[in-house]
Amino acid sequence: MVNDVKNSTSTNKKNPKLTLLPLIALIFYEVSGGPFGVEDSVKAGGGPLLALLGFVIFALIWSIPEALITAELATSFPENGGYVIWISSAFGPFWGFQEGFWKWFSGVMDNALYPVLFLDYLKHSLPVFNHLVARIPALLGITVSLTYLNYRGLHIVGSSAVLLASFSLFPFVVMAILSIPRIRPRQWIVVDFNKVEWRGYFNTMFWNLNYWDKVSTLAGEVEDPSRTFRNALLAGVVLVVSFYIIPLLAATGALKSDPSEWSDGYFAEAGMLIGGVWLKWWIQAAAAMSNMGLFEAEMSSDAFQLLGMSEMGMLPSIFASRSKYGTPTISILCSATGVIILSWMSFQEILEFLNFLYSVGMLLEFAAFIKLRIVKPDLRRPYKVPFQIFGATAICLPPALLLIFVMYLASLQTYIVSGSVIILGLFLYPAIVHAKEKNWCHFISTDEPLGHSNDILEDQSAATELDQVVADEASLSLLGHSKKVEDSETLSQEMSALD
């Protein structure tokens, strides 16, 4: 074990782990990426009032509960795989696999949007991208280039996300400052209920405020996850909600635009009317860069989720293979292939499909959160949502009702496509189990630990980290890990050897 710890330390030095600021940036891009795409909330809401209220109310009843639950469970199970581990621990590997399949498929569909949106912003200034002869090679080139950046290392992705977020958000700070002399607060309360399109409104709100749990699939790549996750999620909620509301307050308060004018890309026009052509170009460039950050964050989470599932023995071991940069090569290629295949679909089709699958998965996560509180009260929780079982159940109820409502609003086509994906997952799990039993391909033994030793550091915090290893391995007993936890005497001997 001493050698394993030394090897892990060497790997960590070569492939640095995520610290607080890059993790905040990745959470920001998992969930938001900036106010790009929120314009439809004004149009679908019949004016600014419902859009502004929506981002406050939805944050309270949806974003904050999801972020709190993610913080508790991600710090309790600091492993790649995230919610797959939570569900497996609560309900067994069958449902853990279903959760992973639904969320991965939903994530790949979500990621297919961003190369398309990248070109949609550029075509306003470069009309050549309206033509398929230029658009198709550009889509492939963007996907391949961003996939390669992901391959080069998660720490590079995190650092890039920090720079992209700074560049993407700063023009809205400038626009907000320039708009102050022109703001008329009465324009914020405009709403025409005859023009409200509830299905589009709820889907837009939900899409712009979900995926807080997605970053949990990177938990094994985070430095000191017990503290870092809690702080990063708190900062992420404040950052995301602020940069939805502030640009909306600035643009709707300073301009007398008809709600029908508010569609994707309208913030660029608002920037021109408030600050001039230079601000319009800046916002367009920021939108394009934001879509790059969104792609990178989603790709990282999807790939490391597959890696985590492979380490749990749910997928062949090839999905856990890492490049010299510490990234899961095959998992990245698999996710990138899915993005290319799905990129032909329309924006609204993809949006509804991924929202439906995501909603089904989130209902299972809420159930797992409550069940683990009941059946594993002694599970080590470095961060714990400050409620007992009744309160924990109560905070899950409003977001669960919202999920059911979003699913109720889905079209028949969405029910058919999403239902097909769910049915496919039900058959895929026994097929993989059969392949494992027949030794058709290699799987990581479930008797092996999940790699918690990667969190053990050389300094004096190693003792605390090793305690976390023991607690977490014990908590994962429902996953079929039969590795016995060493007694206190053996643990003391190993720590002495480390010293």
Side-chain angles (χ1 to χ4, degrees):
M1 180 171 178
V2 174
N3 290 334
D4 290 341
V5 172
K6 289 180 179 179
N7 292 337
S8 174
T9 302
S10 176
T11 301
N12 288 341
K13 288 180 177 179
K14 184 178 180 181
N15 301 304
K17 295 213 166 195
L18 288 171
T19 53
L20 180 62
L21 193 58
L23 185 61
I24 293 173
L26 284 175
I27 291 172
F28 172 71
Y29 275 117
E30 294 282 9
V31 178
S32 168
F36 314 105
V38 307
E39 297 98 332
D40 280 337
S41 65
V42 178
K43 181 178 181 179
L49 180 61
L50 290 183
L52 291 168
L53 287 177
F55 283 112
V56 174
I57 295 172
F58 273 67
L60 290 174
I61 68 173
W62 170 252
S63 296
I64 292 177
E66 187 185 4
L68 289 173
I69 290 169
T70 298
E72 177 173 317
L73 294 177
T75 54
S76 299
F77 301 96
E79 283 291 337
N80 298 326
Y83 36 74
V84 178
I85 300 177
W86 314 342
I87 305 302
S88 297
S89 186
F91 300 114
F94 174 82
W95 288 110
F97 179 87
Q98 302 308 315
E99 172 79 3
F101 183 65
W102 301 337
K103 284 298 191 73
W104 177 80
F105 206 96
S106 171
V108 170
M109 293 180 79
D110 184 51
N111 221 13
L113 293 172
Y114 303 126
V116 174
L117 289 175
F118 180 90
L119 292 183
D120 283 345
Y121 277 99
L122 288 185
K123 73 182 182 184
H124 291 290
S125 301
L126 300 171
V128 66
F129 291 119
N130 282 312
H131 306 289
L132 289 179
V133 67
R135 190 175 182 84
I136 292 176
L139 283 172
L140 291 174
I142 292 168
T143 302
V144 171
S145 300
L146 295 179
T147 300
Y148 176 72
L149 180 60
N150 217 280
Y151 163 78
R152 284 299 304 269
L154 190 57
H155 66 288
I156 294 178
V157 172
S159 301
S160 301
V162 173
L163 296 175
L164 289 171
S166 302
F167 179 79
S168 299
L169 296 180
F170 197 60
F172 292 100
V173 176
V174 174
M175 186 178 76
I177 294 172
L178 293 177
S179 70
I180 292 175
R182 304 174 57 175
I183 286 179
R184 301 293 180 266
R186 65 178 178 273
Q187 293 175 188
W188 293 333
I189 61 174
V190 173
V191 60
D192 184 349
F193 285 102
N194 293 323
K195 295 182 179 179
V196 176
E197 201 274 289
W198 292 108
R199 184 168 141 195
Y201 173 77
F202 276 99
N203 268 303
T204 301
M205 283 290 167
F206 184 68
W207 181 61
N208 280 290
L209 285 168
N210 63 13
Y211 282 97
W212 295 98
D213 62 328
K214 197 70 178 178
V215 75
S216 68
T217 61
L218 306 172
E221 310 302 312
V222 175
E223 183 178 297
D224 191 11
S226 298
R227 285 194 295 266
T228 306
F229 254 101
R230 176 196 61 197
N231 297 334
L233 283 163
L234 173 62
V237 170
V238 173
L239 186 65
V240 167
V241 176
S242 297
F243 276 93
Y244 281 155
I245 294 177
I246 291 173
L248 278 174
L249 287 172
T252 59
L255 303 174
K256 293 184 178 180
S257 306
D258 188 89
S260 62
E261 296 180 39
W262 282 80
S263 58
D264 284 339
Y266 187 73
F267 268 125
E269 298 300 319
M272 183 181 69
L273 295 173
I274 292 172
V277 176
W278 63 273
L279 188 54
K280 174 183 178 179
W281 277 77
W282 191 2
I283 291 174
Q284 283 184 337
M289 295 299 103
S290 176
N291 282 298
M292 291 177 60
L294 287 162
F295 184 99
E296 290 298 330
E298 183 67 58
M299 175 70 75
S300 296
S301 292
D302 293 341
F304 276 95
Q305 178 194 316
L306 294 183
L307 179 146
M309 292 176 72
S310 178
E311 289 180 336
M312 295 163 63
M314 288 185 175
L315 293 174
S317 60
I318 191 171
F319 287 96
S321 61
R322 295 186 184 236
S323 68
K324 61 182 179 181
Y325 306 108
T327 49
T329 309
I330 301 300
S331 296
I332 288 175
L333 291 175
C334 186
S335 297
T337 302
V339 168
I340 293 172
I341 293 173
L342 294 170
S343 61
W344 59 271
M345 300 172 69
S346 73
F347 180 88
Q348 285 300 324
E349 285 177 333
I350 293 176
L351 187 61
E352 274 202 27
F353 297 158
L354 69 90
N355 277 350
F356 192 96
L357 289 172
Y358 185 83
S359 297
V360 176
M362 279 308 307
L363 288 172
L364 201 54
E365 285 182 34
F366 289 146
F369 170 68
I370 296 169
K371 182 173 181 180
L372 288 172
R373 279 293 191 94
I374 296 171
V375 302
K376 290 194 173 186
D378 297 327
L379 172 67
R380 175 173 171 149
R381 293 174 170 89
Y383 170 78
K384 185 177 182 180
V385 178
F387 297 107
Q388 298 304 315
I389 293 175
F390 179 81
T393 303
I395 67 169
C396 291
L397 186 59
L401 292 175
L402 175 63
L403 291 169
I404 294 171
F405 186 65
V406 169
M407 294 166 66
Y408 168 76
L409 291 175
S411 64
L412 177 61
Q413 184 183 18
T414 299
Y415 279 107
I416 294 172
V417 173
S418 301
S420 300
V421 173
I422 292 172
I423 293 172
L424 177 61
L426 297 176
F427 285 98
L428 194 57
Y429 179 79
I432 291 177
V433 170
H434 186 70
K436 187 175 184 179
E437 292 174 348
K438 296 294 185 180
N439 292 321
W440 289 346
C441 48
H442 181 261
F443 286 79
I444 294 175
S445 172
T446 53
D447 287 337
E448 299 171 17
L450 287 180
H452 289 272
S453 58
N454 290 338
D455 292 325
I456 301 176
L457 305 177
E458 285 183 310
D459 58 21
Q460 294 300 315
S461 66
T464 303
E465 292 292 329
L466 196 53
D467 287 342
Q468 177 69 54
V469 173
V470 173
D472 290 334
E473 287 183 355
S475 71
L476 287 172
S477 59
L478 286 180
L479 293 180
H481 290 265
S482 59
K483 186 182 188 304
K484 302 297 182 182
V485 178
E486 294 86 356
D487 58 26
S488 57
E489 181 180 354
T490 305
L491 184 60
S492 300
Q493 291 174 357
E494 290 176 346
M495 290 310 303
S496 298
L498 275 175
D499 292 335

